[in-house]
Amino acid sequence: MAEAPVTDSTPKGRTAPAVRPVGSWRFWLRTRATDPTTFLALGLLVLFAYLIAGPILLLLSDAVRVHFPEVRRTGLPEGTFTLYYLERATMSPIAQAVFWRPLWNTAQVAFGAIALALLVGAPLGWLLSRTNLPGKSWYSTALIVPYMLPGWTFALAWTTLFSNRTTGGTPSWMESFGFNPPDWLAYGQFPITLILALHYAPFVILLFGNALRMFDAQLEDAARLMGASRATITRKIILPMMLPSLVSASTLIFAKALGDFGVAYILGVPVNYNVLATSLFRAISTSQAGMSAVLAGTIVLFGVISILIDLRLLREAGRFQTIGSKGSMDRINDLGRWGPLASGWAMVVFLVSAAIPLFALALTTVMIRPGVFTLDNFTLAYWIGTDLGTTALRQGILLTPEFWNATRNSLWVVGAASLGAGFLGLLTGYAVARAPMGSVAVLLRQITFLPYLVPGIAFAAAYLSMFAVPRGPLPALYGTYIILVLAIMADQMPFASRAGISAMMQLGKDPEEAARISGAGWWRRLTAIVIPIQKGALVAGVMLPFISGIKALSLVVVLAVPGTDLLTTYTIRLVDNGYTQASNAVVLMICVIAFFGTLAAQKLTKSKLSDGLGGR
């Protein structure tokens, strides 16, 4: 009997459904075992969920559950849901001092810093990008120097120049010159706002300057031919086109100022001028876990809102793009007789924001009495002296064991964290670019970006909440180097992961496919092909976290103890003890490491912070 013909019953134009073999999960495992990128992506996702998302979620939960010290006061069992801490922070008799006044001070400082940064940075961005400013190449780097250095460096310089006898301690230069600075000039809102504005003005210079460089000058020409005045062109054409860059710079400054601890601690706490960051530090120092969670959650909330606004603006920036030739976009305005005046303005900004503060700090370290310029007042004792006659600092900084311990701790802790961040960042980039499961790749991108939304001191509070007590197999990590390494590594993952993802997206699969055909296994392909090819991205993923971590204070100030001091926390302890010359000497060493580390990173990555401003 003839066999019946085999016919395809699938309707024309449709694909037959795939037949899932028996034991398909075993088939899935066998296929993934030859290319374990999916397992790598899942493993990284679990790791980052534990190191990044877990501490933040635990911190937020601390705000709404009863802690042991408040069991009697609330009448509720430990761990029970409660609004007690929210009510205590916002409606109790101490709410004004602990929450509302610091919140108001934070808003004043942040918005004041934004306004001043725009006033200073926007004109400089225009001069550097659209004019023939004399010395433009030098200014393109010099005006970015304030951001290369720790912001609280300039707070120490301010106390050296302008502090008064309100809080005692060493007299300032102004006092030595016979001028007694008023309280509003020496401490509080004005100096904090000014220093943060000058420290973050490079954001405006870079973002606004680059937007101006890409602006099509033919639009101005067309408007001028139609009879529009310079003011009309500026108001109706240039400013609307530049608005995304200005608002983006403003939101970034707001997010940074929101969690800044060092400047407010040095210039605000001595006169009881608190912002959210210093109020949070005080709550942590007094073991108020619930109140700490409320304050940290407030900082996180505002930080997330500001960064999300920035991301939204970046997505919408395409609506403001113009199309023109390179010549029309790169048109340079001749300053003519205004050139020397403009160059003088740029020099004044550089002197005020970087040169004078650093010069004052350096001079203070070799002076017995600040501001007294007689020969017998200069000494190297605070650097290499052997008998200073003080209680806790008997030798110069370079002969003090605590300084070298802090230096060694900083180099190995930050170095280990940076190496870990760089390697994990490259693996994250590989997993995102190669993992067949798109949802896992998306989650990886989002979770590694999460620390960028959380200001440093709030992220430190999250780590303290997570690791101050034993968690499962892990013992309590507070007071150990491990918590510092993990916190810095997790905090720097946004930069390291973006470097890895960007590099891997540009690397095709052909080299790996050729090696696979030749019989090379996955690990062999990764170590012999991917990592050597992407060594530039790996270097960037290590150097950028190292530079940021070596000058970080907000992140480590609540996690380090005297036995695990880094250079930044050691400096703060010297400030607290009134050793002005010694603290300034240590901070200068931090500036040297951060500055030359930045230059090394730029050389290794063949890039500059001033890229896009037209500096040649």
Side-chain angles (χ1 to χ4, degrees):
M1 180 184 294
E3 294 184 358
V6 177
T7 59
D8 186 1
S9 60
T10 304
K12 191 173 183 179
R14 295 187 182 180
T15 305
V19 178
R20 295 179 62 85
V22 177
S24 58
W25 64 272
R26 295 190 184 92
F27 175 76
W28 187 89
L29 284 176
R30 284 198 301 270
T31 57
R32 293 299 182 268
T34 59
D35 183 15
T37 309
T38 299
F39 293 115
L40 172 65
L42 291 173
L44 289 172
L45 191 60
V46 171
L47 176 65
F48 293 136
Y50 184 73
L51 293 181
I52 296 176
I56 296 174
L57 293 176
L58 183 62
L59 172 71
L60 297 178
S61 72
D62 280 347
V64 291
R65 60 188 180 90
V66 177
H67 297 270
F68 179 74
E70 284 77 33
V71 168
R72 183 184 297 270
R73 189 175 300 171
T74 60
L76 297 172
E78 184 179 1
T80 306
F81 176 82
T82 181
L83 296 178
Y84 168 77
Y85 302 109
L86 291 172
E87 294 173 355
R88 181 174 172 80
T90 58
M91 292 183 287
S92 72
I94 67 169
Q96 190 68 22
V98 173
F99 183 80
W100 293 114
R101 191 176 299 123
L103 178 61
W104 174 245
N105 291 342
T106 300
Q108 286 183 306
V109 166
F111 287 112
I114 290 170
L116 286 176
L118 291 175
L119 287 174
V120 172
L124 291 173
W126 177 75
L127 288 172
L128 291 173
S129 61
R130 298 300 293 269
T131 73
N132 60 343
L133 177 72
K136 181 167 70 171
S137 178
W138 184 80
Y139 284 124
S140 293
T141 299
L143 292 173
I144 312 300
V145 167
Y147 188 65
M148 295 182 186
L149 307 176
W152 48 276
T153 298
F154 307 109
L156 289 175
W158 189 272
T159 61
T160 297
L161 295 171
F162 296 107
S163 66
N164 57 28
R165 307 304 294 171
T166 298
T167 59
T170 307
S172 67
W173 284 24
M174 293 296 103
E175 288 181 309
S176 298
F177 295 156
F179 172 70
N180 185 32
D183 288 348
W184 67 266
L185 178 63
Y187 298 99
Q189 180 182 344
F190 175 76
I192 294 172
T193 302
L194 179 62
I195 289 171
L196 291 179
L198 294 177
H199 181 61
Y200 294 120
F203 282 177
V204 183
I205 296 174
L206 292 170
L207 294 174
F208 183 66
N210 189 57
L212 277 173
R213 189 178 66 86
M214 300 302 297
F215 176 68
D216 191 350
Q218 289 179 342
L219 294 175
E220 298 178 71
D221 297 339
R224 196 172 291 113
L225 289 174
M226 296 178 67
S229 65
R230 186 182 298 272
T232 301
I233 294 173
T234 301
R235 187 178 71 255
K236 294 190 174 182
I237 297 178
I238 297 179
L239 286 180
M241 299 288 287
M242 297 299 106
L243 190 60
S245 64
L246 291 174
V247 178
S248 182
S250 299
T251 56
L252 288 175
I253 294 172
F254 179 80
K256 293 291 185 180
L258 188 68
D260 187 272
F261 169 79
V263 177
Y265 182 80
I266 293 170
L267 293 174
V269 170
V271 292
N272 201 30
Y273 183 88
N274 284 295
V275 295
L276 284 174
T278 54
S279 187
L280 170 60
F281 178 73
R282 181 174 295 174
I284 293 173
S285 301
T286 53
S287 301
Q288 300 181 61
M291 189 67 73
S292 301
V294 172
L295 293 170
T298 303
I299 297 175
V300 170
L301 175 63
F302 284 110
V304 168
I305 291 174
S306 63
I307 298 299
L308 290 180
I309 290 173
D310 179 58
L311 294 176
R312 176 68 179 267
L313 288 170
L314 289 177
R315 286 198 299 268
E316 298 216 350
R319 298 193 303 119
F320 296 90
Q321 291 177 353
T322 59
I323 300 175
S325 63
K326 177 175 173 56
S328 68
M329 289 185 178
D330 201 19
R331 188 175 304 174
I332 301 299
N333 296 314
D334 183 14
L335 291 175
R337 60 190 178 91
W338 297 103
L341 184 62
S343 182
W345 161 245
M347 178 58 72
V348 167
V349 173
F350 170 71
L351 290 175
V352 171
S353 63
I356 292 176
L358 290 175
F359 180 70
L361 282 179
L363 270 185
T364 302
T365 64
V366 294
M367 283 180 162
I368 300 173
R369 291 166 298 176
V372 178
F373 293 90
T374 57
L375 190 60
D376 62 346
N377 190 50
F378 286 90
T379 179
L380 294 176
Y382 299 106
W383 287 95
I384 56 175
T386 55
D387 187 12
L388 299 183
T390 54
T391 304
L393 190 71
R394 297 186 177 277
Q395 302 177 102
I397 282 298
L398 297 182
L399 301 180
T400 302
E402 289 82 3
F403 168 74
W404 291 111
N405 287 336
T407 302
R408 183 167 55 252
N409 291 345
S410 292
L411 292 178
W412 92 257
V413 167
V414 178
S418 302
L419 285 171
F423 186 67
L424 288 175
L426 187 60
L427 290 181
T428 300
Y430 185 85
V432 169
R434 299 290 190 264
M437 297 176 65
S439 58
V440 175
V442 171
L443 284 174
L444 265 180
R445 293 174 67 101
Q446 300 302 325
I447 200 169
T448 53
F449 184 72
L450 190 58
Y452 193 75
L453 305 177
V454 183
I457 194 165
F459 196 68
Y463 256 65
L464 192 63
S465 177
M466 181 80 168
F467 297 110
V469 297
R471 298 284 179 187
L474 286 181
L477 299 180
Y478 180 64
T480 70
Y481 294 110
I482 297 176
I483 193 172
L484 295 172
V485 173
L486 292 178
I488 295 172
M489 183 176 69
D491 185 63
Q492 297 302 318
M493 279 310 301
F495 307 102
S497 64
R498 264 40 187 186
I501 292 171
S502 176
M504 286 304 306
M505 287 297 185
Q506 299 175 14
L507 178 64
K509 296 182 180 181
D510 292 345
E512 293 177 77
E513 288 296 328
R516 187 181 63 83
I517 294 173
S518 300
W522 178 82
W523 180 253
R524 176 68 175 169
R525 300 197 300 270
L526 181 67
T527 56
I529 297 177
V530 175
I531 292 179
I533 292 177
Q534 299 294 9
K535 61 182 178 181
L538 183 59
V539 169
V542 171
M543 288 300 299
L544 292 177
F546 180 82
I547 295 164
S548 180
I550 205 71
K551 61 181 183 177
L553 176 61
S554 299
L555 179 67
V556 299
V557 70
V558 300
L559 298 177
V561 297
T564 61
D565 260 335
L566 307 184
L567 282 173
T568 50
T569 57
Y570 179 58
T571 303
I572 290 298
R573 298 191 199 283
L574 290 174
V575 170
D576 289 339
N577 290 322
Y579 298 129
T580 303
Q581 292 93 337
S583 62
N584 291 350
V586 176
V587 83
L588 283 176
M589 299 298 289
I590 298 173
C591 289
V592 168
I593 296 173
F595 180 75
F596 286 102
T598 302
L599 295 183
Q602 292 177 354
K603 186 172 183 179
L604 289 171
T605 58
K606 296 181 174 60
S607 63
K608 295 192 301 179
L609 282 175
S610 57
D611 283 348
L613 292 180
R616 301 290 193 271

